[in-house]
Amino acid sequence: MSENEFSGYKGEALKAIRKAGANIGDLIRIIRNGQVYEGILIPRSEYGDKEHVVIKLKNGYNVGFKITSKTKIEKVGEGVKPSFTPPPPPKQNPELPKVTIISTGGTIASRVDYRTGAVRPALTASDLYSVVPELGEIARIEAKILFSLFSENITPKHWTEIAKTVAEEISKGVNGVVIAHGTDTMGYTAAALSFALQNLPVPVILVGSQRSADRPSSDAATNLIGAVTAASKAPFAEVAVAMHETTSDTTIILHKGTKVRKCHTSRRDTFKSVNSTPIARIKDGKIEMLTQDYRKRNSKNRLVLKPKFNEKVALIKFYPGINPSIIDWFVDNGYKGIILEGTGLGHVGRYCFESIRNAVEHDVIVGMTSQCIWGRVNMNVYNQGRDLQALGVIPLGDMLAETATVKLMWILGQTQNIEEAKKLLKTNIAGEFNPRTIF
Amino acid sequence: MEVNYEKLGLKVGLEIHQQLDTSTKLFCNCKPQLFKGEPEITFLRRLRPTQSELGQVDPAAYFEFQKGLKILYEANSETSCLVEMDEEPPHPLNMEAVETVLTVALMMNAELVDEIHVMRKTVIDGSNTTGFQRTCIIAMNGEIKVGEKTVPIQTICLEEDAARKTGREGNLIRYRIDRLGIPLIEVTTAPVIHSPKEAEETALTIGKILRATGKVKRGLGTIRQDLNISIENGALIEIKGVQELELLPLVVKYEVQRQLNLIKISEELKKIGVKEEDVKEEFFDVTEVFRNTNCKVIRKALSQNKIVLALKLPKFKGFLKRELVPNFRLGTEMADYARFWGKVGGIFHTDELPAYGITKEEVEALRRKVKTENQDAIVLVADSPENAKDALKAVAERARQAIRGVPEETRAANPDGTTRYMRPRPGAARMYPETDIPPIKITKELLEKIKTALPELPEQKLKRLIEKYGLNMKLANQIMDSEYAELFEIIVKETKVQPTTVAVFLTETMKALKREGVQIEKVSKDKIMEMFRLLGKGELFKEAMQEIFVWLSKHEKESVQNAIKALNLKALSKEELEKIINDTIRSNEKIVKENKAKAFGLIMGIVMKEVRGKADASTVSQLIRQKLSEHP
């Protein structure tokens, strides 16, 4: 019997369970102070101590008992493994548009094990229909599990995979693609896909959730319904993020993939369009366009797939007293690009200038964004900014630092030519620059 | 008629919930209090029933969801943060609350768990923004003495209170989330209570133990009693939300009566040969019958393009008007079902017609249209086709249950002791772990700390109050149940005031003032203490206490000294008193000279009028006698 089957238990507790011959899920009896407690043996958190055994009582509550020389554990009966059989998917309406949902993991693509509370990845089509039956009235859904990753574990290599998978689905003629994604780095992936998938014929919608899907209050279902609605019938063919607009369940807002950022650790409306208006809003199943500046849905568009990224790009946030040798380290380790997140209009301390000069001299592309998040850099106002430009630092306007980093990775995945790369960095490719900042 | 509850097999279990008086809520740092007036923040949510691993969905909850139920939450920033809004994970469990529950557990001789695991209990009526209530067992298998009887305590839990419902308009329910997250202790007894009186005594005993901790909230809405009641051949009924203790015996009495009457109806229906399959879900559109009706309800519905739908209940004539408990008929039960499942305003049935503007002719036309025999009953609903159909389906289901006997239900308590249908009884409680809160160990150190500060049990305390302070039984009982129990002992210890004087003021005087509408809670315990200190030092007189207290209740920010100044109630010095007496004697010189004995009453009257609350009567009378005797 492997250690794993006693998930979480160790030390005294594990010894006692073994002695009783019990397994997770078995009905056991604990005798303590002359009192008898019966319940199902529950897995223990990996970080729990070695002394307690957790059982689920008949009334549904879990309680922990300390194992001492006076505690007795007995196995009473074999556990019944709970199995989840989702109801059969509804009949697909052939009139409806086709949407593929690609799952990469995260809260939205998880199901809770009600017995243990453990969260498991799940996003098969039948799972989806069983949890969100309304989807069957919006589109014919096909579901694919690509990864089961928390989004902090997603890297540029995964962006490449996702982009290729989306392209494949689009080539099959779907009316839209939805990507279920953890919210932590969903903004980065949205930017990456915006550059990797060019001349899109149909929308590509990223969607996540902030409250786990097991809870009745989860935003997962409403967000997913919004995403599928957008994928199936939105008039635009853009990469966008679909999430709650406010704390209410009333509206779903669609943000442009290059202009979106996660701005709150826990709220449902964590994603904000920065330096741009959102593309559209969905209310009561209807799509309301908020801008006229979008690529139109057109099945005749031929998708151009450019899925390569070069990971040798760093994002460095300036702070008072930063050690500039951090910049040197990246240069020494073969990095080709550095995005600085400077202060205010785009500045870093004069004590970093030497390292920046060194980077530029080693053909490293250095771009400047602002840690203010909102607004655009302007490096002509102060001497410091003018001097930085003279060193070769490229001001990146109102582009988000995260988007700039992703963009430079993508550019260096397309070309080795420094001058061409610099030109591309300054060119508006996927709406990452907005020439006007509206109040 | 005397009911023999024992013989009926009455079994009652109690669940007592009381709010704990902590400084913050259970899972965040918000103030555990309610707010009045308009909310600063509102937001709209839907709760989606999730499927359990067994593929079960709570049918009532799912039904509400399908009907498009929306919840509008109201909040203000002082009493709610992102945690109550379900926009931030819960903070760790409030240890102040845990300590109070541990105290109660030890007082009830319960077995503590070694590690507390917070659970999520699915509740999707909107009362919890998350869709579940957080709850945890802290102790099990305790017991309390109720008179001579030992009542086992099954569980002692700590849980979060729910949001409070502030309204409902169609498919929109309003909840205010200020109450959400206030810590609640839940004490559950075994179903060993066999009479209405025992139910009250048990609740009373539990309440006393809870109050003995000095850490529970008081007042209406801070305590709620749920009951489960069953009798032989009846059904297990859960009754939620009895707010007044005094109501408990009546609730039990009525529920027994209701079940007995339902059993009787079922027997009679069976006897006349009604079968469940006879009640068909066949609905008749009878709108035309009422095209020109004088019934206001139907006229209004028809003007909104709604319809009148009818259902035949074969051989039910006379049963719908059968009273189950006072003012509550089988027809009322059916109406409650129709309201819940059909969202309609109510129903009409032929047992009560003609009435409400519906004429005899209309009833006859209705009978012709539905083709009923004379012994059948007809139920009518005027609403949208969808709602009307759902409502009548529920009525048909309730009629079938009436043939079977007593349906298992969750019912809500009404203020008059009757109950109303709330929802079907939920299946086994769907609980799963609250993974956002790590388990909490009950350590030896924590236990020792609580054991050393364990409050006296109520009966011990009563004995001590009587013996130590010389209070009579009534006064001792009153002071023990009052929220000033602790203050009483402090005042007696720190001032020279007679214990009985203190106790009377803190119980009877306070109660009388409260009845007169004085907001007694506006006067802090510190100020009451200060008043007694001055009383003990002779700087204030007993007669002035009430007036000062009332003034302080209206001037929450003022001190006792300022109250005395404002009311001019400072105790007079001997010199000041003598001067007043001398002046009074002088201005009544004539009478004094004529008849000293007669003059005493007069002078006493005039002086007391002037110095009431500023001097005590025996001193005044003594001084007057002295002055009069010295007077030539």
Side-chain angles (χ1 to χ4, degrees):
Chain A
M1 187 165 293
S2 79
E3 196 82 19
N4 273 344
E5 291 177 44
F6 294 104
S7 34
Y9 285 103
K10 47 199 177 225
E12 287 303 308
L14 179 61
K15 239 193 264 170
I17 294 169
R18 281 214 168 130
K19 213 175 125 202
N23 276 315
I24 298 293
D26 282 348
L27 186 62
I28 64 165
R29 182 180 293 147
I30 295 180
I31 303 158
R32 188 194 71 154
N33 298 346
Q35 305 270 357
V36 179
Y37 304 93
E38 272 189 13
I40 292 164
L41 184 64
I42 292 294
R44 191 156 172 76
S45 146
E46 288 167 54
Y47 306 105
D49 66 21
K50 305 171 190 165
E51 298 167 327
H52 292 81
V53 167
V54 188
I55 60 169
K56 185 180 201 66
L57 301 170
K58 207 177 152 209
N59 61 15
Y61 282 94
N62 290 7
V63 288
F65 289 107
K66 191 167 177 177
I67 299 305
T68 66
S69 52
K70 289 180 193 148
T71 329
K72 255 174 73 184
I73 298 187
E74 293 168 2
K75 178 173 161 177
V76 181
E78 296 280 326
V80 191
K81 281 250 164 186
S83 62
F84 176 73
T85 32
K91 258 202 186 141
Q92 300 226 329
N93 179 350
E95 311 266 293
L96 292 174
K98 270 189 184 169
V99 170
T100 299
I101 300 180
I102 300 167
S103 171
T104 69
T107 304
I108 190 163
S110 60
R111 275 182 33 80
V112 77
D113 177 337
Y114 286 94
R115 197 173 45 116
T116 62
V119 176
R120 293 188 299 222
L123 239 170
T124 63
S126 54
D127 265 350
L128 272 175
Y129 281 126
S130 77
V131 181
V132 196
E134 296 96 316
L135 293 178
E137 289 153 30
I138 305 170
R140 283 177 288 163
I141 307 277
E142 197 168 309
K144 276 196 165 166
I145 299 180
L146 184 57
F147 321 118
S148 290
L149 291 171
F150 288 122
S151 75
E152 57 273 29
N153 294 329
I154 283 181
T155 67
K157 290 187 186 67
H158 298 107
W159 300 340
T160 305
E161 284 301 303
I162 298 169
K164 284 181 180 167
T165 312
V166 172
E168 212 174 286
E169 291 304 312
I170 290 175
S171 71
K172 287 185 200 160
V174 296
N175 298 80
V177 178
V178 169
I179 300 160
H181 199 288
T183 54
D184 275 10
T185 67
M186 185 156 71
Y188 292 85
T189 303
L193 295 180
S194 302
F195 296 112
L197 300 166
Q198 296 190 358
N199 204 33
L200 274 170
V202 296
V204 174
I205 312 293
L206 289 103
V207 66
S209 91
Q210 284 285 83
R211 317 301 299 149
S212 59
D214 61 277
R215 58 178 79 209
S217 61
S218 173
D219 53 338
T222 17
N223 288 346
L224 197 56
I225 292 168
V228 171
T229 303
S232 58
K233 60 182 190 194
F236 58 80
E238 300 254 9
V239 175
V241 166
M243 288 289 284
H244 267 55
E245 183 177 18
T246 66
T247 189
S248 291
D249 286 333
T250 330
T251 51
I252 299 300
I253 197 88
L254 290 146
H255 305 280
K256 198 178 189 65
T258 47
K259 298 302 262 183
V260 63
R261 188 177 189 282
K262 187 175 185 181
C263 292
H264 195 280
T265 56
S266 60
R267 280 176 63 152
R268 287 165 171 76
D269 55 356
T270 174
F271 282 92
K272 297 291 175 205
S273 282
V274 176
N275 299 327
S276 118
T277 46
I279 308 175
R281 172 185 295 124
I282 300 177
K283 194 180 177 191
D284 299 328
K286 294 200 172 57
I287 300 171
E288 178 191 337
M289 293 307 297
L290 301 174
T291 172
Q292 291 314 309
D293 180 24
Y294 59 84
R295 169 189 302 279
K296 288 202 170 54
R297 178 196 280 270
N298 183 351
S299 56
K300 292 196 185 85
N301 284 353
R302 284 198 58 113
L303 173 72
V304 179
L305 174 68
K306 296 182 170 176
K308 270 195 205 151
F309 294 89
N310 184 336
E311 291 186 29
K312 290 283 184 189
V313 174
L315 172 60
I316 301 174
K317 182 172 189 143
F318 171 80
Y319 57 89
I322 188 175
N323 185 337
S325 56
I326 289 166
I327 298 169
D328 303 338
W329 185 91
F330 282 112
V331 176
D332 294 346
N333 282 276
Y335 274 67
K336 301 287 176 219
I338 291 174
I339 298 297
L340 292 170
E341 211 179 293
T343 56
L345 289 168
H347 306 127
V348 296
R350 202 158 278 277
Y351 48 89
C352 297
F353 282 17
E354 207 36 58
S355 295
I356 291 172
R357 189 194 318 275
N358 177 57
V360 174
E361 276 169 6
H362 281 82
D363 284 344
V364 175
I365 298 174
V366 183
M368 179 65 79
T369 61
S370 175
Q371 52 190 249
C372 294
I373 301 173
W374 270 270
R376 67 182 66 239
V377 299
N378 189 324
M379 298 173 67
N380 301 320
V381 179
Y382 295 100
N383 268 341
Q384 203 95 334
R386 291 190 283 266
D387 293 348
L388 279 165
Q389 288 193 74
L391 287 177
V393 175
I394 304 164
L396 296 177
D398 71 332
M399 200 178 354
L400 278 165
E402 295 85 354
T403 299
T405 310
V406 172
K407 183 180 182 184
L408 193 49
M409 286 182 182
W410 175 78
I411 290 168
L412 295 170
Q414 314 307 311
T415 176
Q416 300 301 313
N417 182 318
I418 298 236
E419 287 317 309
E420 197 192 335
K422 281 185 185 168
K423 207 176 119 201
L424 281 171
L425 186 59
K426 288 186 265 189
T427 312
N428 195 1
I429 293 170
E432 67 275 25
F433 289 113
N434 186 353
R436 293 178 68 221
T437 315
I438 293 168
F439 183 72
Chain B
M1 193 188 69
E2 201 52 43
V3 184
N4 186 338
Y5 290 102
E6 200 99 18
K7 216 171 140 196
L8 290 174
L10 172 66
K11 281 188 202 158
V12 181
L14 289 180
E15 254 180 47
I16 310 274
H17 304 89
Q18 187 150 16
Q19 291 181 347
L20 301 182
D21 194 13
T22 45
S23 52
T24 60
K25 287 191 180 178
L26 194 52
F27 295 109
C28 65
N29 289 305
C30 290
K31 283 192 184 158
Q33 63 190 31
L34 309 182
F35 74 90
K36 291 194 184 113
E38 290 301 304
E40 281 170 43
I41 309 152
T42 58
F43 54 100
L44 195 83
R45 294 270 173 80
R46 296 200 66 187
L47 289 178
R48 176 175 286 266
T50 50
Q51 212 153 28
S52 80
E53 66 271 27
L54 303 168
Q56 288 173 333
V57 180
D58 181 342
Y62 192 67
F63 175 81
E64 290 263 43
F65 172 74
Q66 278 187 322
K67 286 246 142 188
L69 185 75
K70 290 183 177 126
I71 308 136
L72 187 75
Y73 290 106
E74 306 173 336
N76 81 349
S77 51
E78 193 176 18
T79 58
S80 304
C81 66
L82 291 188
V83 173
E84 289 95 328
M85 292 173 74
D86 188 39
E87 284 282 37
E88 182 180 305
H91 302 187
L93 196 56
N94 178 342
M95 286 312 280
E96 190 189 356
V98 173
E99 287 181 19
T100 304
V101 178
L102 285 172
T103 305
V104 172
L106 291 177
M107 289 172 80
M108 293 183 172
N109 268 320
E111 293 285 321
L112 307 179
V113 305
D114 296 318
E115 205 177 50
I116 302 167
H117 288 252
V118 180
M119 307 296 288
R120 300 169 170 174
K121 188 197 251 174
T122 310
V123 178
I124 64 162
D125 60 4
S127 59
N128 289 74
T129 47
T130 47
F132 50 72
Q133 181 192 29
R134 298 187 181 97
T135 172
C136 54
I137 285 192
I138 300 221
M140 288 175 277
N141 302 348
E143 56 182 45
I144 54 166
K145 273 282 205 198
V146 180
E148 292 305 304
K149 186 172 175 173
T150 301
V151 174
I153 300 297
Q154 291 180 331
T155 56
I156 301 174
C157 296
L158 173 61
E159 51 190 39
E160 55 181 350
D161 205 345
R164 56 190 175 113
K165 196 167 160 181
T166 45
R168 174 159 192 163
E169 298 106 41
N171 268 336
L172 184 85
I173 306 191
R174 282 169 192 275
Y175 277 100
R176 195 161 275 207
I177 61 171
D178 47 7
R179 199 178 69 185
L180 179 60
I182 293 182
L184 279 183
I185 183 171
E186 184 204 71
V187 177
T188 308
T189 74
V192 297
I193 296 163
H194 300 304
S195 74
K197 191 159 170 274
E198 229 175 67
E200 184 180 19
E201 287 166 352
T202 307
L204 196 67
T205 308
I206 293 172
K208 276 190 178 161
I209 294 174
L210 296 181
R211 285 195 296 277
T213 62
K215 298 287 271 175
V216 295
K217 285 198 191 247
R218 285 159 182 273
L220 195 70
T222 61
I223 188 158
R224 284 194 301 280
Q225 285 126 159
D226 295 352
L227 305 94
N228 51 71
I229 306 182
S230 64
I231 60 171
E232 224 165 285
N233 299 323
L236 185 62
I237 299 291
E238 254 184 80
I239 296 173
K240 297 262 182 206
V242 182
Q243 295 213 355
E244 312 252 8
L245 181 85
E246 297 75 28
L247 214 53
L248 276 178
L250 196 60
V251 171
V252 176
K253 187 183 142 198
Y254 281 161
E255 179 53 26
V256 171
Q257 207 176 318
R258 197 185 67 93
Q259 294 202 22
L260 287 174
N261 282 325
L262 284 174
I263 293 169
K264 214 163 128 203
I265 289 173
S266 140
E267 282 165 357
E268 286 177 35
L269 284 169
K270 278 180 197 150
K271 212 162 140 194
I272 58 169
V274 191
K275 300 214 167 52
E276 285 183 46
E277 55 270 28
D278 296 342
V279 182
K280 297 197 175 73
E281 287 184 12
E282 195 181 338
F283 309 121
F284 300 86
D285 188 332
V286 294
T287 314
E288 283 317 310
V289 173
F290 296 97
R291 195 48 81 192
N292 298 308
T293 189
N294 285 323
C295 172
K296 279 187 194 149
V297 178
I298 296 182
R299 253 186 19 215
K300 191 178 165 205
L302 294 186
S303 74
Q304 293 164 345
N305 273 330
K306 291 176 174 173
I307 62 162
V308 186
L309 212 59
L311 167 76
K312 180 163 88 172
L313 295 178
K315 299 184 189 157
F316 266 75
K317 188 179 175 187
F319 285 99
L320 271 52
K321 66 175 174 195
R322 275 289 188 89
E323 199 171 62
L324 303 175
V325 291
N327 296 318
F328 195 93
R329 294 152 207 282
L330 182 59
T332 326
E333 292 267 23
M334 289 177 169
D336 285 343
Y337 270 67
R339 276 186 206 108
F340 180 81
W341 295 98
K343 304 291 167 240
V344 298
I347 60 171
F348 294 108
H349 57 79
T350 45
D351 272 7
E352 54 176 5
L353 298 177
Y356 310 109
I358 297 175
T359 62
K360 197 167 158 239
E361 291 70 35
E362 282 168 333
V363 175
E364 277 163 10
L366 175 68
R367 285 203 175 273
R368 278 195 300 278
K369 183 112 192 192
V370 183
K371 298 194 189 79
T372 54
E373 308 285 329
N374 195 32
Q375 69 271 40
D376 299 338
I378 303 171
V379 177
L380 298 179
V381 172
D383 212 300
S384 69
E386 198 200 339
N387 284 358
K389 218 167 138 186
D390 283 337
L392 289 184
K393 254 191 208 165
V395 170
E397 177 52 28
R398 183 65 191 83
R400 279 184 223 117
Q401 286 169 342
I403 303 167
R404 235 173 289 155
V406 187
E408 284 203 353
E409 291 165 349
T410 299
R411 302 180 65 87
N414 294 323
D416 66 354
T418 61
T419 59
R420 62 185 184 278
Y421 174 76
M422 206 171 150
R423 44 176 289 149
R425 255 169 66 81
R430 278 244 321 276
M431 270 204 249
Y432 60 106
E434 170 52 274
T435 38
D436 295 341
I437 298 167
I440 297 109
K441 246 178 277 180
I442 299 180
T443 60
K444 263 198 188 123
E445 294 73 33
L446 181 61
L447 261 185
E448 282 313 312
K449 179 180 152 199
I450 289 161
K451 275 184 183 158
T452 52
L454 216 53
E456 283 168 298
L457 280 173
E459 58 260 41
Q460 293 167 346
K461 186 163 187 179
L462 191 67
K463 207 170 150 217
R464 193 170 55 83
L465 287 173
I466 293 170
E467 283 170 6
K468 188 170 172 190
Y469 300 110
L471 301 182
N472 62 33
M473 177 71 110
K474 187 180 164 215
L475 211 46
N477 253 320
Q478 281 184 355
I479 202 79
M480 207 171 70
D481 280 345
S482 101
E483 61 185 298
Y484 300 111
E486 206 181 334
L487 183 66
F488 165 76
E489 297 204 52
I490 298 172
I491 292 175
V492 172
K493 195 172 153 210
E494 293 189 10
T495 71
K496 287 186 192 131
V497 184
Q498 279 290 319
T500 306
T501 308
V502 181
V504 168
F505 186 84
L506 292 180
T507 57
E508 284 165 14
T509 310
M510 291 285 206
K511 232 180 264 169
L513 289 174
K514 197 174 175 183
R515 236 186 337 256
E516 286 163 26
V518 177
Q519 288 180 286
I520 61 170
E521 65 283 354
K522 300 255 173 182
V523 184
S524 71
K525 290 183 177 168
D526 285 346
K527 284 182 200 166
I528 298 174
M529 178 75 218
E530 175 67 10
M531 284 168 61
F532 277 101
R533 212 188 326 264
L534 295 173
L535 181 67
K537 283 201 283 186
E539 291 179 28
L540 198 67
F541 284 96
K542 218 160 95 179
E543 292 77 8
M545 296 282 281
Q546 207 164 314
E547 208 177 324
I548 290 172
F549 187 88
V550 172
W551 191 88
L552 285 171
S553 76
K554 290 176 190 155
H555 303 83
E556 217 179 327
K557 291 194 174 113
E558 298 284 357
S559 67
V560 178
Q561 291 295 355
N562 284 346
I564 294 171
K565 237 180 263 164
L567 296 167
N568 190 22
L569 282 173
K570 191 170 168 16
L572 298 169
S573 65
K574 199 178 169 201
E575 291 71 32
E576 289 168 310
L577 195 54
E578 277 174 340
K579 185 171 178 293
I580 294 169
I581 293 172
N582 286 336
D583 289 351
T584 313
I585 291 176
R586 208 169 298 133
S587 47
N588 294 285
E589 197 76 53
K590 211 174 135 199
I591 303 169
V592 173
K593 274 196 177 148
E594 276 169 19
N595 183 345
K596 275 195 189 172
K598 198 178 150 201
F600 173 78
L602 178 80
I603 305 291
M604 183 72 188
I606 296 169
V607 173
M608 275 317 287
K609 206 170 166 188
E610 192 171 340
V611 305
R612 186 172 302 279
K614 296 191 272 191
D616 103 300
S618 66
T619 316
V620 176
S621 86
Q622 203 188 333
L623 267 176
I624 296 176
R625 272 181 219 287
Q626 189 195 330
K627 294 286 169 197
L628 284 176
S629 67
E630 288 165 9
H631 202 81

